[in-house]
């Protein structure tokens, strides 16, 4: 048996943690986009990830569409679901308080999950890895090629979003809504459209996360809730509304879980991540990179 | 004002209760079942429900039992103890069934044992724990409770005795944090010394985890001769895939009997090749030798199930097959008399089911021995084959 | 809204008292008293949660943990140590309130979603402990053989007896809560909900009030957990998972968050929907449940207890 040193193990934990963390980070970014415009935590965010994975399986592995086609079609379909979510569950609410809006997203997630169970059944599905399954040896750690795709898509998503929010008119308008919806509305920005856009964007990002993680972890209809909770944890850890915070939060949670499982106790690995989260919140009530000032003007 | 509200609420309750109330059925044998059809344990309850419905359908098409139709009342407990208890009570008090199949989960079965005992109704559980049928205080079998799945200790013994034959002494175990995994873990830990086996690493993972590389990395670090992976659901396959990706295939890999569905071989995408797993006959009908006592029932069940539902058989469905057919045999012999059904089941011998040849007795309400109930199977060319 | 009328409470009490006798005569709803026991147990939790959320404006997604603490303390102490169930019930409430102070002091400084996540995390951690500490909790297979309750030789061993015990406690909690709401403290709570800064300026000790309500809700949840354990004689961790916390939130939202009545109506509705009425839809059950929840959220922003107000509005037009 080849030498497998402790240092190699640590490096392996780090790589695994960053990959899992990237998925959490993508979910967290999705949370943030909607939160910034609406102050809602969209608890159906995990369902977008699940739908992304399962629709991709259907288009690519079952219907046989090539990856390059199936990928964008899946993202578009999930984006449509995101739009429907806004139109059917969020916008009709007459007296929106943050809590009723959250309950509406819970209801939506129940409906999406139930429908997915009806369409795909309860079994897990597999998706072929994008560039084969031959693992790469790097510094003694073993890396699946799919890991690079997950981390890579996180980076691409972050770059595209930065460009969108900094360079385009719509993106700037969305940021304006986030800062002050009333003022934005006075400036002629259609806040309703911005909300729709925020749901579409975060659905699309959720779909990307689902598509890239399915070759690693398989996907089944009820995976969404757990991912939503991890993403929620990540976004709170990093600070609500902060995009760098979401990424940092996701990567930290993933890494703690991985090191916790490897070095201490795998049964308690989720608990470690949450204890760290609580400890951070008790000392920094607005998360690592969240701004105290902003959190004060937010209703929620 | 509020009085009116109250009245409306009250009438709604009554109205809906009456409308949704069960229809009366005449001249049938009623058998109740509580399975976890949806929720966290749907991989158990879903095939169980499908199997039970199929078996009942076949029986009724062939003229029923003694000229009476078999009426199956199935409730879904969603893996929840409260629902499962309420369902069992409803089957006893309202539906007035002759016998009850299920629940699917060990914990939930243990929870309803006192109810079956008190109401004096035969209950044939589809869950594994020996605690379902054995009163730990007295060591005796509960009078009214039976179970058809093999105990987890049997699977552990099957795995360990195979290891002994192969000369394996140093192993790592990795188990799920669900009831199935935890129970397997404690049996593996308990029986290891008897087989001269040392457990070098004892890892676990949650039922919704994304990646188990960290746990396997730790196992790789302690360099065992073999790994036992004990859980159910998709995560056990993820473990297998991570194991392959980490280049650990020089370590012998054992799966628990929770691996018994061909879907898992497919999902493993080649990583299952050479993996050992102890399985009941129904999972591997084609691999059984022609003279195997269960060959006929296993082949037939697989053919009918795949034909009807267009999906491969899962070993858990086989438990419903065993439970229902046992009860049907009892109904044929003694009719709908709860006490006589119980006596019949306790004295049932030589029943060739999907998971072994059952020989019940007053001291054994499971009726199985592991040498009989499990065959050691190896995955060869993407299919099951008998090991050695 | 501030004045609580006595008549509806008396009417409701009468309904609860006679209900089992009516249900006993109609076979189709013969199991309803059994369901009502669970509805009552959930009412205990939602009454506390409604005070916390609807009145003090603090969200908790970890209430299942206190429910679980009550159940597990009762189960462990009675099964492993053979202590008296009533004594264990009190110990459970004490432990739950200690935990509530420990968790509440740092958590209740958090706001909005941060508080939601903190309580959620707390709930998940407690669940993991229930699941992992097999030696004490039995792990996922749970604890069985939990004794039933009895008082001075009187055994609460039938559905009917337990039904009246549970509902007696629900009414006690209900009336106590209503008195709290009408008292000075109640006004302080509502002030906190509207504006923490303003109420603090008015001399309300905001953090003390928040902790007190949190502890009160934990005590009620713990009591509910003990009652659950002694009735079912069995507990396992999945009863106390975070989805139950979300279910409690749904009960409050469906019933109506701004009135204690809402907590009761919501607990009833969710109990009967999920244990009985939706069976009919089989595999579609979940979808129907989600649709009902969504429709209520959209059309009844004040929950089911808002219906009379809406109907009144129609007549005025």
């Amino acid at each position: 048996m080849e030498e497998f040193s402790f240092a190699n193990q640590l490096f392996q934990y780090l790589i695994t943690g960053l990959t899992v963390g990237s998925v959490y980070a993508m979910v967290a970014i999705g949370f943030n986009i909607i939160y910034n415009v609406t102050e809602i935590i969209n608890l159906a965010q995990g369902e977008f990830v699940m739908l992304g994975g399962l629709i991709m399986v259907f288009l690519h592995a079952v219907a046989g569409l090539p990856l390059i086609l199936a990928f964008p079609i899946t993202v578009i379909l999930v984006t449509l679901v995101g739009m429907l979510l806004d139109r059917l569950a969020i916008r009709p609410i007459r007296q929106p308080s943050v809590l009723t809006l959250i309950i509406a997203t819970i209801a939506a997630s129940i409906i999406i999950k139930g429908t997915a169970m009806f369409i795909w059944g309860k079994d897990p599905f597999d998706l072929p890895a994008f560039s084969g399954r031959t693992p790469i040896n790097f510094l003694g750690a073993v890396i699946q090629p799919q890991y690079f795709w997950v981390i890579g898509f996180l980076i691409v998503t972050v770059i595209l979003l930065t460009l969108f929010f900094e360079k385009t008119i719509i993106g700037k308008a969305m940021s304006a809504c986030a800062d002050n919806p009333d003022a934005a509305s006075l400036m002629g920005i259609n806040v309703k459209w911005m909300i729709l856009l925020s749901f579409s964007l975060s659905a699309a990002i959720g779909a990307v996360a689902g598509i890239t993680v399915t070759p690693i972890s398989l996907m089944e209809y009820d995976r969404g809730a757990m991912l939503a909770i991890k993403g929620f944890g990540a976004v709170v850890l990093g600070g609500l509304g902060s995009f760098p915070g979401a990424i940092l939060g996701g990567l930290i949670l993933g890494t703690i879980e991985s090191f916790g499982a490897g070095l201490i106790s795998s049964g308690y690995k989720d608990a470690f991540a949450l204890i760290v989260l609580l400890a951070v919140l008790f000392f920094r009530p607005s998360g690592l990179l969240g701004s105290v000032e902003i959190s004060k003007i937010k209703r929620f | 004002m509020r009085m009116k509200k109250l009245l409306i609420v009250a009438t709604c309750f009554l109205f809906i209760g009456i409308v949704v109330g069960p229809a009366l059925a005449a001249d049938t044998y009623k058998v109740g079942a509580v399975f976890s059809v949806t929720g966290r344990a749907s991989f158990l309850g879903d095939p169980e429900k499908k199997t039970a419905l199929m078996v009942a359908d076949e029986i009724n098409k062939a003229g029923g039992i003694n000229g009476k139709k078999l009426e199956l009342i199935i409730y879904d407990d969603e893996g929840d103890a409260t629902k499962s208890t309420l369902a069992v009570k409803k089957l006893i008090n309202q539906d007035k069934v002759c016998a009850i199949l299920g629940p699917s989960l060990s914990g939930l079965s243990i929870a309803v044992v006192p109810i079956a005992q008190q109401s004096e109704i035969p209950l044939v559980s589809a869950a594994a724990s020996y605690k379902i049928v054995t009163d730990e205080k007295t060591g005796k079998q509960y009078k009214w409770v039976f179970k058809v799945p093999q105990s987890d200790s049997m699977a552990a013994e099957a795995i360990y005795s195979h290891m002994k034959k192969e000369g394996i002494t140093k192993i790592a175990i990795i188990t799920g944090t669900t009831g199935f995994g935890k129970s397997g873990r404690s049996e593996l830990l308990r029986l290891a010394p008897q087989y001269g086996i040392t457990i070098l690493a004892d890892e676990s993972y949650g039922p919704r985890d994304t990646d188990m590389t960290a746990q396997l990395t730790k196992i790789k670090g302690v360099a065992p001769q073999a790994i036992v992976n004990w859980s159910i659901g998709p995560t056990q396959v993820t473990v297998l895939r991570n194991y392959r990706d980490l280049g650990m295939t020089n370590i012998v890999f054992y799966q628990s009997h929770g691996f018994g569905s061909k879907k898992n071989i497919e999902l493993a995408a080649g990583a299952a090749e050479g993996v050992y797993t102890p399985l009941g006959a129904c999972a591997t009908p084609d691999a059984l030798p022609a003279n195997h006592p269960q060959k006929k029932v296993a082949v037939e069940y697989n053919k009918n199930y795949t034909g009807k539902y267009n999906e491969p058989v899962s070993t858990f469905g086989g438990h419903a097959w065993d439970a229902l057919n046992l009860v049907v045999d009892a109904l044929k012999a003694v009719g709908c008399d709860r006490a006589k059904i119980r006596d019949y089941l306790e004295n049932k011998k030589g029943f060739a089911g999907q998971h072994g040849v059952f020989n019940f007795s007053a001291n054994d309400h499971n009726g199985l021995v592991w040498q009989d109930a499990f065959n050691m199977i190896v995955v060869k060319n993407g299919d099951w084959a008998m090991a050695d | 809204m501030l004045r609580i009328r006595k008549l509806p409470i008396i009417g409701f009490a009468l309904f609860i008292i006679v209900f089992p006798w009516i249900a006993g005569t109609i076979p189709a709803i013969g199991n309803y008293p059994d369901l009502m026991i669970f509805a009552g147990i959930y009412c205990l939790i939602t009454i506390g949660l409604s005070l916390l959320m609807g009145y003090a404006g603090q969200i908790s997604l970890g209430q299942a943990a206190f429910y679980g603490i009550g159940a597990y303390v009762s189960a462990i102490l009675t099964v492993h140590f053979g202590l008296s169930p009533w004594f264990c019930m009190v110990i459970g409430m004490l432990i739950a309130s200690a935990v509530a102070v420990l968790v509440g002091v740092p958590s209740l400084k958090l706001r909005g979603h941060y508080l939601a996540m903190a309580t959620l995390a707390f709930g998940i951690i407690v669940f993991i402990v229930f699941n992992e500490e097999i030696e004490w909790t039995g792990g996922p297979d749970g604890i069985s053989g939990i004794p039933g309750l009895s008082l001075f030789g009187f055994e609460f061993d039938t559905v009917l007896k337990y039904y009246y015990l549970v509902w007696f406690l629900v009414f006690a909690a209900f009336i106590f809560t209503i008195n709290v709401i009408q008292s000075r403290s109640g006004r302080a709570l509502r002030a906190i909900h509207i504006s923490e800064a303003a109420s603090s300026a008015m001399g309300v000790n905001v953090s003390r009030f928040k902790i007190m309500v949190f502890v009160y809700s934990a005590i009620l949840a713990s009591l509910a957990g003990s009652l659950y354990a002694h009735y079912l004689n069995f507990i396992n961790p999945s009863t106390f998972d975070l989805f139950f916390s979300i279910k409690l939130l749904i009960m409050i939202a469906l019933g109506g968050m701004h009135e204690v009545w809402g907590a009761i109506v919501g607990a009833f509705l969710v109990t009967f929907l999920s244990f009985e009425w939706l069976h009919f839809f089989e595999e579609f059950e979940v979808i129907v449940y989600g649709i009902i929840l969504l429709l209520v959220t959209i059309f009844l922003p004040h929950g089911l207890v808002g219906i009379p107000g809406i109907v009144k509005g129609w007549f005025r037009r």
Side-chain angles (χ1 to χ4, degrees):
Chain A
M1 176 146 223
E2 63 184 288
E3 188 58 33
F4 190 55
S5 72
F6 189 61
N8 292 349
Q9 283 185 42
L10 291 183
F11 188 59
Q12 183 80 55
Y13 297 144
L14 182 68
I15 296 284
T16 307
L18 290 179
T19 310
V20 176
S22 298
V23 179
Y24 299 164
M26 272 194 258
V27 181
I29 291 172
F31 272 123
N32 258 342
I33 293 174
I34 294 179
Y35 173 81
N36 272 343
V37 181
T38 62
E39 296 185 21
I40 305 171
I41 281 295
N42 170 31
L43 288 173
Q45 191 65 33
E47 312 305 325
F48 295 147
V49 181
M50 176 271 291
L51 283 179
L54 289 182
I55 294 178
M56 185 70 179
V57 168
F58 179 73
L59 293 178
H60 183 53
V62 181
L65 284 182
L67 195 73
I68 199 88
L69 266 180
F71 198 116
I73 296 178
T74 305
V75 173
I76 291 169
L77 286 175
V78 178
T79 307
L80 286 177
V81 175
M83 291 177 165
L84 278 179
L85 173 65
D86 177 42
R87 293 308 300 262
L88 296 180
I90 305 298
R91 204 182 285 186
I93 292 177
R94 284 146 184 202
Q95 295 169 19
S97 75
V98 174
L99 207 65
T100 45
L101 289 171
I102 290 175
I103 299 277
T105 65
I106 293 177
S109 83
I110 293 174
I111 297 171
I112 296 174
K113 187 170 102 179
T115 315
M117 183 179 96
F118 179 65
I119 297 175
W120 285 283
K122 295 160 198 157
D123 290 318
F125 290 90
D126 185 20
L127 193 63
F130 297 175
S131 46
R133 292 196 187 280
T134 319
I136 300 156
N137 272 296
F138 179 66
L139 292 178
V142 183
I143 306 169
Q144 298 177 46
Q146 192 65 25
Y147 283 14
F148 292 114
W149 285 103
V150 173
I151 298 172
F153 268 103
L154 173 68
I155 296 169
V156 171
T157 309
V158 171
I159 293 173
L160 288 181
L161 277 180
T162 317
L163 289 177
F164 174 73
F165 282 115
E166 308 266 316
K167 302 283 176 203
T168 65
I169 294 285
I170 306 179
K172 283 180 185 165
M174 257 177 102
S175 311
C177 285
D179 290 341
N180 189 337
D182 295 330
S185 164
L186 286 175
M187 297 295 286
I189 295 170
N190 187 337
V191 177
K192 276 193 175 155
W193 275 102
M194 290 301 135
I195 294 175
L196 183 68
L197 189 62
S198 72
F199 272 88
S200 320
L201 258 183
S202 72
I205 293 167
V208 171
I211 295 168
T212 48
V213 78
T214 303
I216 297 176
S217 68
L218 309 174
M219 189 57 74
E220 78 272 23
Y221 79 102
D222 64 349
R223 193 69 75 107
M226 215 55 213
L227 284 169
I229 283 157
K230 303 271 171 142
F232 187 21
V235 84
V236 163
L237 178 61
L240 279 167
S242 157
F243 285 100
I247 299 160
L248 191 66
L251 296 181
I252 291 178
L253 278 193
T255 315
I256 296 174
E257 278 180 20
S258 175
F259 277 97
L263 298 180
I264 317 177
S265 144
S266 33
Y268 273 104
K269 74 181 169 51
D270 288 350
F272 296 133
L274 293 171
I275 288 170
V276 171
L277 170 70
L278 285 177
V280 169
L281 283 184
F282 293 162
F283 291 103
R284 289 190 61 90
S286 302
L288 290 172
L289 302 181
S291 140
V292 182
E293 285 71 40
I294 289 180
S295 78
K296 264 185 186 152
I297 56 168
K298 294 276 183 190
R299 284 174 301 158
F300 226 70
Chain B
M1 203 51 238
R2 291 183 194 236
M3 209 47 203
K4 207 154 84 191
K5 172 168 60 194
L6 219 63
L7 269 173
I8 295 168
V9 172
T11 29
C12 281
F13 282 8
L14 288 175
F15 180 74
I16 296 174
I18 291 160
V19 171
V20 185
L24 290 172
D27 222 27
T28 55
Y29 283 135
K30 282 192 200 175
V31 172
V34 181
F35 297 135
S36 304
V37 184
T38 58
R40 68 192 169 100
S42 62
F43 53 87
L44 299 173
D46 190 59
E48 282 165 1
K49 181 185 176 183
K50 284 177 177 160
T51 302
L53 286 174
M54 183 186 85
V55 171
D57 213 36
E58 282 165 9
I59 287 168
N60 285 332
K61 272 197 192 129
I65 307 165
N66 307 335
K68 288 191 181 189
K69 263 184 117 67
L70 172 65
E71 188 193 347
L72 201 57
I73 304 170
I74 301 179
Y75 291 126
D76 174 13
D77 65 28
E78 295 169 33
D80 175 67
T82 320
K83 280 197 181 177
S84 151
T85 311
L86 284 167
V88 167
K89 282 192 195 167
K90 196 174 176 194
L91 286 171
I92 297 170
N93 299 325
Q94 258 161 289
D95 301 323
K96 307 210 183 309
V97 294
C98 311
I100 296 173
L101 320 175
S104 312
L105 284 163
S106 288
L108 307 197
S109 295
I110 294 167
V112 299
V113 165
I115 303 171
Q117 287 285 97
Q118 204 183 6
S119 314
E120 310 200 321
I121 184 164
L123 180 111
V124 187
S125 167
S129 171
Y130 72 97
K131 291 183 209 157
I132 298 166
V133 289
T134 312
D135 184 340
E136 280 191 292
K137 283 184 198 120
T138 62
K140 282 192 182 141
Q141 304 286 291
Y142 289 114
K143 189 174 171 195
W144 293 90
V145 185
F146 302 83
K147 76 170 177 100
V148 282
Q150 306 88 340
S151 295
D152 289 334
S153 61
M154 297 182 186
E157 292 204 57
I159 289 173
Y160 281 167
S161 54
H162 188 261
M163 284 179 176
K164 208 171 176 185
K165 223 165 52 190
E166 303 279 307
I168 293 169
T169 53
K170 289 189 168 57
I171 67 163
I173 64 173
I174 177 163
T175 55
T177 55
T178 58
F180 188 85
K182 291 267 179 208
S183 163
R185 175 176 174 270
S186 65
E187 292 303 332
L188 287 172
L189 292 175
R190 184 175 68 87
L191 292 168
Q194 288 177 29
Y195 287 83
I197 282 167
T198 325
I199 294 175
L200 301 176
D202 169 15
E203 297 301 311
S204 64
Y205 52 93
R208 294 282 172 271
D209 283 358
T210 317
D211 189 295
M212 272 59 91
T213 307
Q215 290 92 323
L216 286 167
T217 304
K218 192 172 175 188
I219 290 177
K220 193 178 175 185
V222 300
Q225 290 169 287
I227 298 172
V228 183
N229 177 26
W230 196 304
S231 85
I232 17 81
T235 41
Q236 63 175 334
V237 180
T238 314
V239 171
L240 204 44
R241 289 160 60 137
N242 292 156
Y243 148 86
R244 188 254 330 259
D245 291 339
L246 284 170
M248 297 162 74
T249 36
N250 54 339
I251 305 172
V252 185
F253 204 98
Y254 288 86
Q255 281 281 359
S256 75
H257 53 306
F259 193 63
S261 165
K262 266 198 186 166
K263 276 182 231 163
N264 289 326
I265 303 184
E266 274 168 44
L267 287 172
E273 205 57 25
V275 163
Y276 291 101
T277 166
L279 292 178
C282 70
T284 59
D286 302 330
L288 300 175
N291 62 351
H292 196 280
Q294 296 162 259
K295 176 95 179 172
K296 186 170 160 282
V297 287
V299 168
E300 213 166 275
Y301 170 46
N302 272 269
K303 198 183 79 197
N304 295 346
Y305 189 91
T306 331
K308 188 169 168 113
Y309 297 112
N310 198 23
E311 62 177 33
V313 157
S314 116
T315 98
F316 305 114
H319 298 317
W321 194 99
D322 291 342
L324 182 54
N325 276 297
L326 278 166
V327 169
V328 166
D329 278 7
L331 286 169
K332 246 181 225 157
V334 299
C336 186
D337 180 321
R338 289 175 180 177
K340 282 188 185 155
I341 292 176
R342 188 213 83 86
D343 294 346
Y344 179 90
L345 289 176
E346 188 167 83
N347 295 307
K348 185 79 174 172
K349 301 267 190 278
F351 173 82
Q354 300 298 341
H355 283 277
V357 179
F358 292 83
N359 291 299
F360 291 99
S361 70
N363 298 320
D364 185 4
H365 278 195
N366 188 193
L368 291 174
V369 285
W370 70 263
Q371 292 86 342
D372 228 28
F374 282 122
N375 306 306
M376 189 48 84
I377 301 292
V378 64
V379 179
K380 222 181 236 167
N381 303 323
D383 200 353
W384 310 115
M386 295 290 247
D388 354 287
Chain C
M1 281 294 188
L2 289 185
R3 250 185 65 234
I4 301 281
R5 292 177 205 154
K6 288 205 182 84
L7 198 63
I9 299 175
I10 295 168
F12 183 53
L14 284 176
F15 169 75
I16 290 294
I17 291 168
V18 299
F19 181 79
W21 306 96
I22 304 169
T25 61
I26 308 167
I29 61 166
N31 61 332
Y32 276 27
D34 209 353
L35 291 171
M36 296 269 277
I37 290 176
F38 292 102
I41 286 170
Y42 298 154
C43 276
L44 278 175
I45 315 174
T46 52
I47 286 172
L49 194 57
S50 142
L51 195 65
L52 183 69
M53 287 178 55
Y55 287 86
Q58 306 299 309
I59 195 168
S60 169
L61 286 176
Q63 220 61 10
F66 296 117
Y67 183 43
I69 287 173
Y72 270 97
V73 169
S74 278
I76 291 170
L77 294 184
T78 52
V79 172
H80 292 317
F81 299 98
L83 300 178
S84 145
W86 301 102
F87 177 68
C88 301
M89 208 180 270
V90 176
I91 298 285
M93 289 192 267
L94 287 176
I95 292 178
S97 31
V99 173
V101 172
L102 229 66
V103 175
V105 168
S107 295
L108 292 172
K109 284 181 192 144
L110 303 173
R111 289 166 37 90
H113 296 307
Y114 291 98
L115 177 60
M117 185 64 225
T119 51
L120 186 71
F122 160 69
I124 297 174
I125 292 169
V126 171
F127 171 82
I128 293 174
V129 173
F130 291 156
N131 205 47
E132 291 295 322
E133 294 303 311
I134 297 183
E135 214 169 295
W136 292 105
T137 65
D141 279 350
I143 304 177
S144 56
I146 303 165
L149 289 173
S150 65
L151 195 59
F152 306 120
F154 180 82
E155 302 257 355
F156 293 97
D157 55 356
T158 65
V159 172
L160 206 61
K161 289 178 195 166
Y162 216 83
Y163 171 95
Y164 285 119
L165 171 71
V166 167
W167 278 100
F168 169 76
L169 292 168
V170 174
F171 271 97
F174 185 37
I175 289 164
F176 182 78
T177 307
I178 284 174
N179 281 320
V180 169
I181 291 166
Q182 285 178 308
S183 69
R184 258 175 66 92
S185 320
R187 284 201 298 279
L189 284 177
R190 274 193 302 279
I192 292 172
H193 192 178
I194 295 162
S195 166
E196 278 187 28
S199 43
S200 176
M202 300 286 285
V204 176
N205 188 338
V206 174
S207 55
R208 210 181 111 236
F209 267 110
K210 286 204 261 182
I211 299 283
M212 270 166 53
V213 178
F214 192 55
V215 168
Y216 179 61
S217 76
I219 288 176
L220 284 185
S222 167
L223 172 66
S226 299
L227 287 172
Y228 174 86
H230 290 299
Y231 182 59
L232 215 59
N233 312 118
F234 167 85
I235 50 170
N236 66 349
S238 66
T239 308
F240 311 102
D241 63 7
L242 78 113
F243 296 103
F244 185 70
S245 287
I246 291 176
K247 201 169 175 178
L248 291 168
L249 194 71
I250 290 174
M251 289 180 194
I252 302 263
L254 277 181
M257 203 187 320
H258 301 287
E259 277 186 70
V260 186
W261 277 109
I264 291 175
V265 173
F268 262 100
L269 187 74
V270 172
T271 308
F272 277 81
L273 279 180
S274 63
F275 288 167
E276 187 77 17
W277 295 339
L278 296 183
H279 273 326
F280 170 73
F281 295 100
E282 295 202 4
E283 313 252 308
F284 294 100
E285 187 182 320
V286 200
I287 302 181
V288 178
Y289 182 61
I291 291 174
I292 293 175
L293 182 59
L294 188 57
L295 290 179
V296 172
T297 324
I298 291 174
F299 295 107
L300 299 170
H302 294 292
L304 288 176
V305 290
I307 293 176
I310 293 172
V311 175
K312 227 192 292 182
W314 286 343
F315 282 117
R316 281 212 191 111
R317 248 178 238 167

